[in-house]
Amino acid sequence: MKFKENELRIIFYSTFLIIIIETIFFLISPQLFTLIGFLPLLIIGFVVKLRILFLNLVLSNFLLVFANFVTGILSSQSIINISFMLVFVFFSSLILLFFVFLKLSQEKQVSFGSSLSNYNLVCNLLLLSFIFFFFSRLDLSEIQLRIIDSINTIFNDSNLNRNTQMEGLVKNVVSILPSINFLIILISLSLNCLISQIIIKKLNLPEEYQLNIHDSIVPKSFLSFFTLCFLSLVILPPSIHMYVNNVLILSSFCFLTDGLIFVTNYLKKFEINKYIKFIFIFLLFIFLGYVLFLLIFFLGYYRSCKKIFLK
């Protein structure tokens, strides 16, 4: 893989820019890092070629590991947090996958909905691997007991029968935590993607890849996959339900995305200031919360069914 002199310069500066900005985000607040940690990677990913981004991510991860190793030898405590490194490796992998599918969608002229569905399927494979090799082997009983004790403390309730019901509910909730966290990460990735597009346009940076989200309807193959997973809960043994439930939750991201794009496009018909629209949507999420997420999901699911079965 040969690089021109200007490309090597871009790789050098962008790599150190990634390391510095990501480290600053984490040092300010780990929560801030999880919210906007994708932003520098996305901005660079949209304006450079895929092979340059790949080398950026490889070098960034290598330099962080090397810095952690050297500082660990020179002092009793490393300056680079291990959790930060692991999250950064995970974020880098998701970003690289995102631009691989974006590049393929442009070359093969695949719709955004199809590309997003394929990306989601790969994320599901990562999720299932994590659950099978790590999460399912953990002893979650202590976590469940702590949650139950916290709930009982809040509501001052020690009823045995209700505790038994609560134990079953908490067990089910804990079993789907991997997919809930992964879903939140993908939502954060989406928001960072929109912010990165605004920053790129404001700075007048040349874009290597275009994000065309107009055709966001989920394809028939993914709709069938999601529906079959849901129906399979009736016949599959309970031991498999944890895997299927996690897949369903993470797969709902595609329908959430389609529903949200439809809502935002619909609001464009009204001649209202864009900041007022943003505040309106933000307040809806604050007051309705999960109810609004469910409504947007059902809207996206309905749109996919309507396009396929009611043509």
Side-chain angles (χ1 to χ4, degrees):
M1 193 185 305
K2 295 183 179 180
F3 295 93
K4 299 177 182 178
E5 183 179 348
N6 63 324
E7 290 180 331
L8 291 174
R9 195 179 297 113
I10 292 172
I11 292 170
F12 176 79
Y13 287 116
S14 57
T15 298
F16 279 97
L17 184 66
I18 289 173
I19 293 174
I20 292 171
I21 294 178
E22 297 286 17
T23 305
I24 291 173
F25 283 164
F26 187 82
L27 291 176
I28 293 174
S29 170
Q31 291 74 25
L32 177 68
F33 173 69
T34 56
L35 287 175
I36 60 175
F38 287 112
L39 192 56
L41 304 178
L42 284 166
I43 293 174
I44 292 174
F46 276 114
V47 300
V48 302
K49 295 179 180 179
L50 184 61
R51 63 194 186 112
I52 295 178
L53 176 65
F54 173 74
L55 197 56
N56 280 145
L57 297 177
V58 171
L59 287 174
S60 300
N61 283 280
F62 174 77
L63 290 174
L64 285 173
V65 172
F66 180 75
N68 181 69
F69 177 74
V70 171
T71 54
I73 293 176
L74 297 178
S75 63
S76 59
Q77 187 175 6
S78 302
I79 60 172
I80 307 295
N81 192 293
I82 295 296
S83 61
F84 163 65
M85 290 174 54
L86 292 175
V87 174
F88 182 72
V89 170
F90 181 60
F91 279 13
S92 301
S93 302
L94 290 182
I95 289 294
L96 186 60
L97 280 173
F98 174 79
F99 282 103
V100 166
F101 280 103
L102 187 59
K103 179 180 174 62
L104 290 174
S105 67
Q106 290 187 3
E107 290 178 350
K108 298 182 179 181
Q109 295 183 343
V110 179
S111 67
F112 175 76
S114 298
S115 181
L116 183 65
S117 301
N118 294 331
Y119 178 72
N120 190 269
L121 287 174
V122 176
C123 290
N124 270 302
L125 290 177
L126 294 175
L127 174 66
L128 290 175
S129 300
F130 170 76
I131 294 173
F132 181 78
F133 291 107
F134 181 73
F135 188 76
S136 62
R137 304 176 190 276
L138 295 176
D139 184 9
L140 304 174
S141 57
E142 185 176 349
I143 298 176
Q144 295 168 8
L145 287 175
R146 287 184 178 181
I147 295 174
I148 293 172
D149 289 340
S150 300
I151 294 174
N152 289 335
T153 302
I154 294 172
F155 294 99
N156 294 320
D157 190 357
S158 60
N159 183 275
L160 181 61
N161 183 43
R162 186 164 294 180
N163 275 350
T164 304
Q165 297 175 353
M166 186 64 67
E167 182 178 350
L169 178 61
V170 170
K171 184 178 180 181
N172 290 330
V173 171
V174 171
S175 68
I176 59 175
L177 283 179
S179 58
I180 292 176
N181 288 321
F182 209 142
L183 180 62
I184 293 172
I185 289 172
L186 289 185
I187 293 173
S188 175
L189 172 60
S190 302
L191 294 175
N192 278 263
C193 193
L194 295 176
I195 296 172
S196 67
Q197 289 287 291
I198 296 172
I199 294 174
I200 289 171
K201 290 179 180 178
K202 291 291 184 182
L203 297 176
N204 291 321
L205 297 174
E207 291 186 77
E208 187 69 29
Y209 304 103
Q210 298 291 330
L211 187 64
N212 185 8
I213 61 175
H214 297 296
D215 189 6
S216 60
I217 294 181
V218 177
K220 182 179 179 180
S221 57
F222 191 85
L223 176 65
S224 301
F225 165 75
F226 182 87
T227 306
L228 287 174
C229 285
F230 181 76
L231 295 176
S232 67
L233 291 173
V234 180
I235 58 175
L236 290 175
S239 58
I240 309 295
H241 284 189
M242 179 178 70
Y243 296 95
V244 180
N245 287 332
N246 279 280
V247 168
L248 286 171
I249 291 173
L250 187 58
S251 299
S252 66
F253 173 74
C254 294
F255 301 102
L256 280 169
T257 303
D258 179 54
L260 187 59
I261 290 174
F262 174 79
V263 171
T264 52
N265 289 335
Y266 181 78
L267 289 176
K268 289 179 181 179
K269 298 179 181 179
F270 301 96
E271 296 181 359
I272 305 175
N273 186 282
K274 60 182 179 180
Y275 296 107
I276 296 178
K277 290 180 183 178
F278 175 79
I279 294 173
F280 175 72
I281 295 174
F282 178 76
L283 290 176
L284 282 177
F285 277 106
I286 292 294
F287 289 109
L288 295 180
Y290 291 108
V291 176
L292 186 59
F293 273 102
L294 286 173
L295 290 174
I296 293 175
F297 162 76
F298 284 119
L299 176 61
Y301 188 82
Y302 168 75
R303 275 168 46 82
S304 298
C305 293
K306 181 180 178 182
K307 183 176 181 180
I308 293 169
F309 299 109
L310 301 178
K311 287 184 178 181

